[in-house]
Amino acid sequence: MYLHLGNQVIVLQKSVIGVFDMDTATWSHRTRETLEKLEQAGQVENAAGTELPKSFVLCSLGSGQIGYLSQLNTATLYKRSKASGLENL
């Protein structure tokens, strides 16, 4: 199954590690550090397009990780994942 993150970006559901709200994600030192490391490594993709990102989706990618900035809020992504069974993975 797949999860649509917006702007024609789709990821495998089983690759999703976590979904974080951009307003609160930067408060946590670990989340902020992870996002910064991914940005420095060029492993952050903008799925928000020209809109302000509302969430950050962390996914596994082979032996590494990749982050997606999405214009969809965490509640919307949760509803999409729940509809397709992501919470059971």
Side-chain angles (χ1 to χ4, degrees):
M1 299 294 280
Y2 296 92
L3 179 62
H4 180 254
L5 302 179
N7 268 356
Q8 301 176 350
V9 176
I10 300 170
V11 297
L12 279 172
Q13 286 185 354
K14 65 181 180 180
S15 72
V16 176
I17 297 171
V19 179
F20 306 92
D21 183 274
M22 287 299 288
D23 289 335
T24 59
T26 55
W27 287 56
S28 168
H29 172 69
R30 290 184 183 199
T31 309
R32 185 175 59 243
E33 184 178 279
T34 301
L35 183 56
E36 287 173 359
K37 284 182 181 180
L38 289 173
E39 285 177 334
Q40 291 171 356
Q43 295 175 312
V44 175
E45 290 193 27
N46 185 4
T50 58
E51 295 186 39
L52 185 66
K54 295 179 183 175
S55 62
F56 171 67
V57 181
L58 182 62
C59 297
S60 63
L61 179 65
S63 61
Q65 297 175 340
I66 187 165
Y68 295 93
L69 300 176
S70 175
Q71 80 270 20
L72 303 174
N73 64 35
T74 55
T76 301
L77 291 171
Y78 175 74
K79 287 176 189 175
R80 289 182 179 191
S81 67
K82 186 175 177 184
S84 54
L86 180 62
E87 76 281 357
N88 295 324
L89 295 178

